[in-house]
Amino acid sequence: CSLCVEKNTAVSQCVECQALICSKCVDIHRTLLLFRSHQMIPLNTSILGDSKLLTFKDVPIFCKEHPSYCRSFFCLTCNELLCAYCVVGGHRDHNIADSLEEASLKIREIFASLSADMDENIYQTVNLWKKDQVKILTKSGNESSL
């Protein structure tokens, strides 16, 4: 447990706090007015629906460089989750999303733009291929008439 001094085995994770919490602290967390609206997810809950390949506890939420801090910011420059120390450190001049919702929207915009660019590239490639086929057919038609 990341909240209590007893360091009991964590059984849940708070979605908002991202804290790994033992059963005793889950009860306390749910009774405190400040945390009452927080959602708890049991660590054995699959985040892929019925698939048991990946569970909530398998998703890294703590910073690798600052292990006691949660990664709660998203760097749009590097496309990675960061903790507050990383934001003011190596990512100071980067474009940081104000929220994960904003990051999600911006990433969707990027994918939409990339998709449109790919569609245009495919269209241009098909047109070039068609022109090449016409040239080949025209050339072979001219050679056969000789």
Side-chain angles (χ1 to χ4, degrees):
C1 180
S2 60
L3 297 182
C4 69
V5 293
E6 297 172 14
K7 298 297 178 196
N8 294 325
T9 302
V11 296
S12 293
Q13 184 161 25
C14 175
V15 174
E16 287 76 15
C17 299
Q18 296 185 348
L20 298 170
I21 305 173
C22 67
S23 59
K24 184 177 176 182
C25 289
V26 166
D27 294 336
I28 295 169
H29 205 71
R30 287 184 175 147
T31 59
L32 293 173
L33 187 60
L34 180 64
F35 305 115
R36 189 175 294 166
S37 64
H38 288 197
Q39 180 184 2
M40 297 291 181
I41 297 180
L43 291 181
N44 62 354
T45 300
S46 172
I47 61 172
L48 298 177
D50 292 334
S51 170
K52 296 298 180 194
L53 297 176
L54 185 63
T55 62
F56 192 76
K57 69 178 179 180
D58 295 323
V59 178
I61 56 164
F62 293 98
C63 181
K64 292 175 186 169
E65 292 182 41
H66 311 102
S68 58
Y69 293 92
C70 293
R71 298 184 303 158
S72 55
F73 298 92
F74 187 79
C75 178
L76 294 166
T77 306
C78 301
N79 292 330
E80 65 178 305
L81 284 169
L82 308 170
C83 76
Y85 280 97
C86 288
V87 170
V88 297
H91 297 265
R92 180 176 300 169
D93 298 326
H94 293 187
N95 187 11
I96 305 297
D98 292 330
S99 66
L100 291 178
E101 290 80 16
E102 178 190 358
S104 176
L105 288 173
K106 290 192 180 193
I107 290 170
R108 286 182 185 150
E109 289 173 10
I110 291 168
F111 279 124
S113 174
L114 289 173
S115 178
D117 290 346
M118 288 174 54
D119 288 346
E120 180 61 27
N121 287 340
I122 291 169
Y123 176 78
Q124 289 177 1
T125 302
V126 168
N127 281 339
L128 287 173
W129 181 80
K130 286 179 181 178
K131 288 178 184 178
D132 286 346
Q133 291 301 312
V134 169
K135 286 180 187 177
I136 291 169
L137 291 174
T138 304
K139 185 177 179 181
S140 67
N142 288 339
E143 290 176 356
S144 63
S145 63
L146 293 175

